[in-house]
Amino acid sequence: MLSALGIATGTLIIFMMMLSLLFVGMPLGFMTGFIALSMSYFWFGNIAMMQMVANRVSDFTTSYTFIAVPMFVLMATLLDKTGIARDLYNAMRVMAGRIRGGVAVQSMVVAVILASMSGIIGGETVLLGMLALPQMLRLGYNQKLAIGVVVGGGALGTMVPPSIVLIIYGMTSNVSIGDLFLAAVPAAAILSSMYILYILIICRIYPDYGPAMDKSEMEEMTREDMKKMFLDILMPILIAVWILGSIYAGIASVTEAACVGVVGVGLAAAIRGELNVKVIFDALKHTISTVGMIIWVGIGATMIIGVYNLMGGDIFINDLFMGLDMPPIFTILIMMFILLILGMFLDWIGVAMLTMPIFVPIITNLGYDPIWFGVLFCVNMQVSFLSPPFGPAAFYLKSVAPEGIELTDIFKSVWPFIIMQVITLAILITFPEVVEFIYK
Amino acid sequence: MKMSQLIDRIFIRLGHLVSILFLVVVCISFFEVIMRYAFNSPTIWVHETTSFLVSLALLFGGVSCYAAEKHIAMTFISDSFPRMVRWYTVLFVETCTLVFALMMAYGAFLSAKDAFISPFGKFRMQTSGSALDMPFPALNKGFFFLTCLMLIFLVVLHLLRHLSIYRETKAKCLASKKG
Amino acid sequence: EMSFKFASTNAAGEQAYQVQKEWTDAVEKASNGRIKIDLLPLDAVVKSSDLLTGVRNSIIDGAVSTSAHYAGDDAGFGLIGDTISAWNSDEDILKFYYFGGGLEVVDKIFQAYGAKLIGVCITGAESLPSKVEIRKVEDFKGVKMRAPSGPIHKLFAKMGAAPVGLPGSEIYTALEKGVIDAADFSTFSNNQQQGVHSIAKYPIYPGIHSSPTVHIIMNLKKWDALPENDKFFMERFFKGLALDSLLKPHYEDRIAYSTAIKEGVTPVAWSDEEKAKVRANAREIWAEIADQSEIGKMYYDALQKFLDAQGMN
Ligand code: NA
Ligand code: NA
């Protein structure tokens, strides 16, 4: 039984195994699952432990919120296969006109709108990855910038309310979910405006990152072109209104809204005369192959979290703070650091389960506001979605990215966005008023 | 050789068939929304049924994605290994995957057993315990065990295929050394 | 020296978990270091519905969870875990288990499933946050009500509501946006803390529908391996948890009540007459479950005896 080694050594073993299996190129889901199952046997010396790991998989695959992921993939494929996406981006390009990086900025705005329709990251990243990425590449945008926009923007799904991360935080920490939603708004605003500013600045420095329209091309536009453009942009707006309306008018729950969205896109395609059996089946095929790819990562993650919890991961985290005697702000900084590190290797839900029961009582005792800390946690998880080696947003994008874009390309593109997320985190730690004014 | 690729293709095709479940989910969810909002009579079956159907599609999607060899993996380091080393690396990875699939199948078997057979040795299916009380948990766990068996079958298939290219790889390796 | 891992089905931030954790942590000190219990919060190991199997198979040593979660294994567990509308107050639960023969019957049931019932505690009667004022049974007509487990779902359906089966993570947003009008959530003070009352201003309090019994169970073989004095110690010790779990939510609920009133929340208290109607509806559901489940019947009979003896029938 390895458990005699103690949880600190156990953590190190898992960590080393992950790195070495990653090194030889083992698929991520199989890798984490392999480690989880091996540990479940060798750590506890009880082969029946594998049942627990299997139970967690059943639990994961039947979790209701996950339904939104295939629905968003389906929506995205339909938008893509019917030409709605292409026409939208052509129109957006004209609207952006002479502004360099304009389409990337618009994509970021689209990301924020999408974020207000979904509470998870997977669906949004996939939708943007299929909708925005190929179009930005087609319009000559720099690949790294385009990927960054998609992954950073897609992660906003949990930063802008509604957000499953904030809901889980609220439930594990017993604080007002409504206040958390409110408090997340300024943080999300800071983060997304920083993204937009970055796009504008980088495209000013490197004009070929986000090419603008030629003057001559703009002058050639006829009245007819303009009219078509207006219609091309109207359709997606109507779809957005349809989905947002269904959520904010209390017609559908957030997960149901994803299904309602598929119906909306289907209607739009039908109006354009582009809906047929082939398009539907192509979209379904694409959906199952995409989620099939993603599901292993989720299965692996849920396995390792269960095993690590049972191994005493909570005790390990708790021990790190035992007898810590230092100024409160350092405690916060250490917590942020731990969250960043854990976010590299674990799924956000695992990080929340592991740390929140320990962190929240500590910060509350120190006199900090748990709502504010919840927003910090949420921003921190934005980083975790992007940071290698376990970066869910990157995985989601990989599952739909055009041929030739590898995971490494994605991870190489995300670091400016990670830096902006960390800066946002620093701002929120230094000036808690930024979020506190809104709900206090 | 040909045979194993054919089998892969069959699993991929079956996956396409299973994907119709997503369409079913869209329809019944929309139905639920309409029934609740317009007629104030929510169904008791839609939410549970959607979770169940999606879980089946996800699990089978995982298998068919393995058949299609579509993986989320970081292969940039192992891709730079020399050809022969790479062959051994892939062998190692596939072997670990087989061990993973076997362990998972064992766990899934235990889990399915408890879902179908009561502690008193009688056959009964674990239900959701809700108002609908369908045996979805039992069916899901049973299907998960089936999924694991399919995965084992495919991993063995891919492993054999990989072993069969050993000579070819070695020959290519020697040739490139001479050249 | 023995070290056990128990799983709770309450989330880490919930009062119920904190009370449970305080007591499981204290076992070490109280037993002079002989026994150690590490309590893990909701979903840390397996889903609540798999906990009993987990305890039987030694995946986890014990659980602090209402048996209502095991209703998928036998409908009777649904009745045992949450005997809807049976109790006049939470202390009736403890009376039934510790004096009315409840503990013996339910322990027998758990032992058949490979677990030992060490003791029971409670989470406190749930209040019922609602966006519309519900004062009597008729007011339920057409109310879109989120309800989780089978029996509660049936109860609301019987009273004319339109029960919606949304999962837990969707409740808040659904209530906020008006997809549903009311939801079973948690105790009054938990609801107040999570901000539910700012979106559902007419909570039914004191609650009328649900007060789960939390069963503290342990793997039977591991229990049997304990020396007699430790068995005795554990059973006595967890009575302390039962007491705290009774007092704490009531204490906190009253504090939350005053704050809620100040914030313009209008708690709705039901008359005894209307509550009796609810119980009449619930009674039919108990009987249905007793009909279809052997363990449900065992429990039902013991319960009837208790209710008769207490003049509650
Ligand atoms: Na969102
Ligand atoms: Na990460």
Side-chain angles (χ1 to χ4, degrees), chain A residues 188-241:
Chain A
I190 293 174
L191 197 56
S192 41
S193 34
M194 211 185 292
Y195 289 165
I196 288 172
L197 218 63
Y198 165 77
I199 297 167
L200 291 173
I201 292 170
I202 196 97
C203 290
R204 193 154 193 112
I205 304 172
Y206 305 104
D208 57 324
Y209 268 39
M213 269 179 98
D214 288 335
K215 215 169 190 171
S216 58
E217 199 186 336
M218 288 206 63
E219 282 157 3
E220 277 168 26
M221 299 278 303
T222 61
R223 264 190 90 88
E224 277 302 296
D225 289 340
M226 290 301 210
K227 210 173 131 193
K228 181 183 177 304
M229 238 183 57
F230 173 73
L231 287 174
D232 288 343
I233 228 155
L234 185 69
M235 197 70 96
I237 288 179
L238 286 179
I239 296 172
V241 170

Side-chain angles (χ1 to χ4, degrees), chain A residues 52-122:
Chain A
M52 179 273 286
V53 181
N55 275 347
R56 284 188 72 87
V57 177
S58 297
D59 185 15
F60 171 76
T61 56
T62 48
S63 65
Y64 184 71
T65 41
F66 199 83
I67 294 169
V69 174
M71 291 306 119
F72 270 95
V73 183
L74 198 51
M75 215 190 298
T77 333
L78 282 173
L79 286 171
D80 189 52
K81 299 250 190 256
T82 54
I84 298 177
R86 192 190 177 88
D87 291 350
L88 168 69
Y89 266 79
N90 283 340
M92 274 165 55
R93 175 160 167 269
V94 177
M95 278 178 65
R98 306 281 300 145
I99 305 167
R100 282 189 203 123
V103 176
V105 172
Q106 288 166 326
S107 297
M108 195 52 86
V109 175
V110 170
V112 174
I113 296 171
L114 283 174
S116 63
M117 298 178 191
S118 111
I120 52 175
I121 63 149

Side-chain angles (χ1 to χ4, degrees), chain A residues 115-116 118-119 156-158 160-163:
Chain A
S116 63
S118 111
L156 289 174
T158 61
V160 178
S163 151

Side-chain angles (χ1 to χ4, degrees), chain A residues 21-30 33-34 37-38 41 47-48 50-51 54-55 57-64 66-67 70-71 74 242 249-253 256 259-260 262-263 280-281 284-285 287-297 299 303 388-390 395-396 398-399 406-408 411, chain B residues 15-16 18-23 25-27 29-30 32-33 36-37 46-48 50-52 54-66 70-78 81 89-90 92-93 95-97 99-104 106-112 114 137 140-141 144 147 151:
Chain A
L21 290 175
L22 214 57
F23 182 77
V24 295
M26 187 163 182
L28 268 132
F30 298 159
F34 175 74
L37 284 158
S38 317
Y41 179 60
I47 195 157
M50 287 175 192
Q51 180 177 5
N55 275 347
V57 177
S58 297
D59 185 15
F60 171 76
T61 56
T62 48
S63 65
Y64 184 71
F66 199 83
I67 294 169
M71 291 306 119
L74 198 51
W242 164 271
I251 297 170
S253 77
E256 285 168 345
C259 303
V260 171
V262 177
V263 175
I280 295 175
F281 276 93
L284 287 171
K285 265 198 260 180
T287 306
I288 195 144
S289 78
T290 302
V291 293
M293 226 163 141
I294 298 165
I295 193 70
W296 287 117
V297 181
I299 287 179
M303 285 180 166
F390 192 91
F395 302 156
Y396 280 110
K398 169 69 186 113
S399 68
E406 293 307 318
L407 213 46
T408 31
F411 282 132
Chain B
H16 295 166
V18 171
S19 73
I20 295 175
L21 288 179
F22 291 129
L23 199 63
V25 166
V26 171
C27 296
S29 291
F30 196 68
E32 160 78 10
V33 171
R36 190 180 57 225
Y37 189 72
V46 166
H47 286 117
E48 261 184 77
T50 43
S51 300
F52 174 64
V54 167
S55 80
L56 296 188
L58 293 177
L59 288 171
F60 197 85
V63 173
S64 76
C65 139
Y66 179 83
K70 278 182 163 185
H71 300 300
I72 294 174
M74 301 233 238
T75 49
F76 69 104
I77 305 170
S78 56
F81 293 163
T89 317
V90 173
F92 174 73
V93 167
T95 313
C96 287
T97 309
V99 175
F100 160 72
L102 287 169
M103 290 190 291
M104 189 163 72
Y106 181 71
F109 168 74
L110 293 179
S111 152
D114 279 328
N140 169 277
K141 287 169 183 174
F144 177 46
T147 308
L151 185 68

